Amino acid sequence: MNHLRTTVALVLGRTARIFSRRFHLGGGTSLPGQIARSIEPAILTTICTALPDGVILIAGTNGKTTTSRMLAAILEHTGEPLLHNRAGANLLPGLTTVAITDTDWRGRPHARRALFETDEAALPQAIAETRPRLVVLLNLFRDQLDRYGEIDTIAGNWRRALQTLPATSTVVFNADDPAIAGLTEHLPARVIGFGLNDTRHAVAAATHIADSQFCQTCGHRYHYRHIFYAHIGHYTCPHCGRHRPDPQIALTALEPRGLDGSELQIRHPVGQLQIHLPLPGLYNAQNALAATAAALALGIAPTTIGAALTTFQAAFGRIERITAGPNGPPMLIALIKNPVGASETVRMLTATTTRPLHLLIAINDRFADGTDVSWLWDADFEPLAGRVARVTVSGTRAADMALRLDYAGVDGAAITVIDDLPTALDTALVALPVGETLAVLPTYTAMLDLRAEIARRGWAKPFWET
């Protein structure tokens, strides 16, 4: 290690972060890491190698920000100092930015452990550079095909990276996702599966957005005894017998409590854990299950896990509740970015209330969103038909979203298109009846634009401070 080069990288990287925030050029979540890596390419490895308790990586198409925040809350509940990319910058420069902000000038970290959520395409390189002791694999769905390609490509890259993990590492994986479960066979590392055993939440048949429908061993179509959404469920190959592995950590009972959250019962090897999760939706219950499995793999006491999750607050834009001013109406912000995520968000909204919905949907097609918005036609917006009082549509692809809603059966008289997001927000709030909540469904960059506008108005802190 070149100590001089490391020091220069740290100084310039931290300076860039301070400059970005002081002059309101952004959160300084990626540029500092880019600068530091250009000076010392091995700086992330240097810092991570010096962490006494190592690195945790969390990857998946959906849920990684919420799951990582849940696990961070559990770890912080123990009083443990932690490096964590809370702002969601999950490419290698983002991970590096976090690493360089909490070290001394020789690159020695003050924390004992790092927790990084990791972009799907970045996971193999993150494994190579951070040498993690724990990897948590959530799911694999189609997401931004213009950037990443089909999930088989991602899965193949993951498989090769996971094979490099030593026996001292652990992989916690979603047993209900055949694309994920298949990656964990014959690994040198220890593997721990988690899954949903409460089959009351299964749907009647496979959905049209199921991505991993075919057996990885023989190519035959899986048979599902229970399917929860997309290709997530209890599956068996009728030809070769490959099947869902029995999860060591199982969600045995999920009792929805509307928008107030859910009651969870989780079975683990030494008992049962009861949790009130203050987030609604099946997918948030699964995120909590994944965080619980990861925490148990780290040896954290079940009572600590339960206490942390019961008081958990959502990550920015992920079922985030914000009040529009001191006495203003409430908003519920739920990020949508691919067919499965959008469908499950619609499912959550329509299942948690019988009242007519008031919506603001903002669809962008910038690079970070994926420039191909054809995924809107794969998402299941049909449950909104007959359930919407008013929907304001905004963003760079507002017209596309309005057309999709029309085809989904939403009354055209209830749809208003306003391209400018701040104007759309004001219009939706003015039209909101007293006592109602505005549900905001943005894509990623629309969510960042919205949070910046909300922060400018003083309704919430900037996203990198939450």
Side-chain angles (χ1 to χ4, degrees):
M1 179 180 67
N2 186 311
H3 293 298
L4 177 60
R5 196 162 58 219
T6 297
T7 299
V8 173
L10 289 169
V11 170
L12 294 182
R14 292 179 186 179
T15 300
R17 183 172 180 267
I18 294 170
F19 185 86
S20 294
R21 295 190 175 186
R22 179 167 297 175
F23 292 96
H24 306 289
L25 301 176
T29 57
S30 292
L31 179 61
Q34 292 176 353
I35 293 172
R37 292 172 67 85
S38 69
I39 298 167
E40 175 50 275
I43 192 166
L44 181 59
T45 299
T46 298
I47 294 172
C48 289
T49 301
L51 290 163
D53 295 332
V55 172
I56 303 165
L57 297 180
I58 297 181
T61 307
N62 291 337
K64 51 186 174 288
T65 297
T66 300
T67 303
S68 66
R69 287 248 183 158
M70 288 176 171
L71 184 54
I74 295 168
L75 291 168
E76 289 163 357
H77 210 75
T78 68
E80 175 182 328
L82 187 68
L83 289 175
H84 178 209
N85 55 337
R86 291 180 58 86
N90 55 28
L91 299 174
L92 271 298
L95 274 57
T96 305
T97 296
V98 173
I100 67 175
T101 56
D102 192 26
T103 65
D104 64 20
W105 294 109
R106 299 186 66 182
R108 294 176 299 196
H110 299 136
R112 295 188 57 84
R113 194 193 313 265
L115 168 59
F116 297 134
E117 69 158 275
T118 310
D119 178 85
E120 300 97 295
L123 179 62
Q125 187 62 28
I127 289 175
E129 292 194 24
T130 67
R131 303 166 187 171
R133 297 188 188 179
L134 176 64
V135 178
V136 183
L137 304 178
L138 302 177
N139 47 58
L140 273 176
F141 302 118
R142 281 174 291 157
D143 187 41
Q144 304 183 27
L145 293 181
D146 54 306
R147 290 175 62 196
Y148 294 154
E150 293 289 351
I151 65 171
D152 288 345
T153 302
I154 298 295
N157 294 337
W158 282 19
R159 184 190 304 276
R160 287 185 287 274
L162 292 170
Q163 289 288 345
T164 67
L165 293 173
T168 52
S169 292
T170 300
V171 176
V172 171
F173 71 96
N174 185 355
D176 294 330
D177 187 337
I180 292 292
L183 301 179
T184 64
E185 297 175 355
H186 312 300
L187 289 183
R190 179 177 66 141
V191 296
I192 298 173
F194 63 88
L196 176 58
N197 282 3
D198 188 345
T199 58
R200 295 175 298 166
H201 301 281
V203 295
T207 69
H208 65 283
I209 52 176
D211 297 313
S212 295
Q213 303 181 56
F214 299 97
C215 178
Q216 297 176 4
T217 299
C218 67
H220 281 69
R221 186 183 294 272
Y222 285 117
H223 168 74
Y224 279 83
R225 184 179 179 185
H226 304 287
I227 190 162
F228 302 111
Y229 55 88
H231 58 259
I232 303 299
H234 300 179
Y235 51 89
T236 301
C237 175
H239 184 259
C240 72
R242 175 191 283 268
H243 61 277
R244 173 205 189 229
D246 186 34
Q248 292 101 313
I249 317 295
L251 180 55
T252 55
L254 165 59
E255 303 294 343
R257 296 290 183 257
L259 289 176
D260 292 330
S262 301
E263 303 296 330
L264 311 182
Q265 179 174 294
I266 297 175
R267 186 201 73 215
H268 55 88
V270 295
Q272 301 275 347
L273 177 60
Q274 304 282 344
I275 300 171
H276 169 72
L277 181 70
L279 296 183
L282 173 63
Y283 56 94
N284 279 316
Q286 291 179 306
N287 292 337
L289 177 64
T292 298
L296 290 171
L298 294 170
I300 296 175
T303 52
T304 300
I305 298 170
L309 292 181
T310 296
T311 57
F312 178 75
Q313 294 184 349
F316 65 93
R318 278 80 169 179
I319 316 297
E320 183 183 21
R321 303 171 193 271
I322 291 176
T323 301
N327 300 304
M331 296 184 292
L332 182 72
I333 306 175
L335 174 71
I336 60 173
K337 64 188 184 77
N338 53 43
V340 171
S343 299
E344 285 304 298
T345 298
V346 169
R347 178 182 179 184
M348 181 268 294
L349 290 174
T350 55
T352 52
T353 181
T354 58
R355 299 169 68 88
L357 297 170
H358 297 264
L359 305 175
L360 169 60
I361 304 178
I363 306 297
N364 283 350
D365 62 350
R366 299 173 189 156
F367 180 76
D369 305 293
T371 56
D372 180 359
V373 296
S374 62
W375 66 267
L376 294 174
W377 295 91
D378 290 329
D380 189 11
F381 291 104
E382 276 64 24
L384 294 176
R387 298 293 309 276
V388 174
R390 181 184 179 92
V391 52
T392 305
V393 185
S394 187
T396 61
R397 301 302 287 265
D400 297 76
M401 187 67 236
L403 181 63
R404 178 67 186 92
L405 291 173
D406 181 63
Y407 270 82
V410 175
D411 184 0
I415 302 172
T416 301
V417 177
I418 302 176
D419 294 336
D420 180 68
L421 186 54
T423 303
L425 175 62
D426 288 333
T427 301
L429 289 172
V430 167
L432 189 68
V434 175
E436 298 292 344
T437 296
L438 179 64
V440 184
L441 280 57
T443 55
Y444 182 69
T445 66
M447 184 263 289
L448 294 182
D449 291 344
L450 177 70
R451 287 296 272 97
E453 178 65 19
I454 287 172
R456 187 187 67 79
R457 298 182 183 192
W459 298 350
K461 295 179 181 178
F463 72 88
W464 60 84
E465 294 181 10
T466 59

